Amino acid sequence: MRPSRSALGDLERAVMDVLWATGDDEWLTVRDVHEAVATSHEVAYTTVMTVMDRLARKEMLDQQRDGRAYRYRARATRGEMTAALMRGALDDIGRQDRAGALVAFVGEASADDLDALRAALARVAPDDDPTGTS
């Protein structure tokens, strides 16, 4: 997956939210997504079709021919895409500034976010204490 370096637009996010809410192996048509998005956004079917085509060209969606139409699914989970965007942001600032950016990020994190980070670090390196407090 090659995510965009910028955040998703409002309609792109709404489309992705619909696709992320489905199972990993479930494919949706533009009509399926439009029906779901139209409950919260006043948007034309053709606009949703265009957004989904663009997301496929950005390699954020898989696109599969189904007769005269296409079906789509998210290429990555919400977490995987967010991680790729975060890695891209860190890559953009360069190696020497990564530590400062990470410290600033963690310094503003909520208690819940810090708990999630600790749990993630424990899963990645279970034999190491990432906090240095053991």
Side-chain angles (χ1 to χ4, degrees):
M1 182 190 79
R2 193 182 67 193
S4 167
R5 293 281 189 189
S6 62
L8 294 171
D10 185 48
L11 187 53
E12 289 176 323
R13 178 172 302 283
V15 166
M16 292 303 297
D17 285 344
V18 170
L19 290 160
W20 282 324
T22 65
D24 290 342
D25 292 329
E26 190 172 345
W27 294 80
L28 298 180
T29 64
V30 173
R31 183 165 315 287
D32 297 329
V33 175
H34 177 257
E35 287 174 3
V37 169
T39 64
S40 59
H41 294 74
E42 190 172 318
V43 61
Y45 173 90
T46 54
T47 302
V48 172
M49 184 171 55
T50 299
V51 167
M52 292 177 73
D53 184 60
R54 286 183 184 157
L55 289 169
R57 280 189 269 128
K58 290 180 182 180
E59 298 182 8
M60 296 177 73
L61 298 181
D62 287 327
Q63 185 182 53
Q64 181 182 73
R65 192 84 152 142
D66 186 17
R68 292 179 52 204
Y70 288 98
R71 297 184 310 156
Y72 298 84
R73 71 176 177 193
R75 185 166 281 191
T77 66
R78 182 189 315 263
E80 291 167 341
M81 192 190 99
T82 301
L85 289 168
M86 293 169 69
R87 279 190 302 276
L90 289 172
D91 287 347
D92 286 348
I93 63 171
R95 284 260 181 231
Q96 65 276 16
D97 296 323
R98 274 181 177 224
L102 290 168
V103 167
F105 175 77
V106 171
E108 294 181 18
S110 69
D112 288 343
D113 289 342
L114 292 173
D115 288 344
L117 283 169
R118 285 185 190 99
L121 288 169
R123 283 194 310 266
V124 172
D127 295 333
D128 299 328
D129 180 3
T131 62
T133 59
S134 58

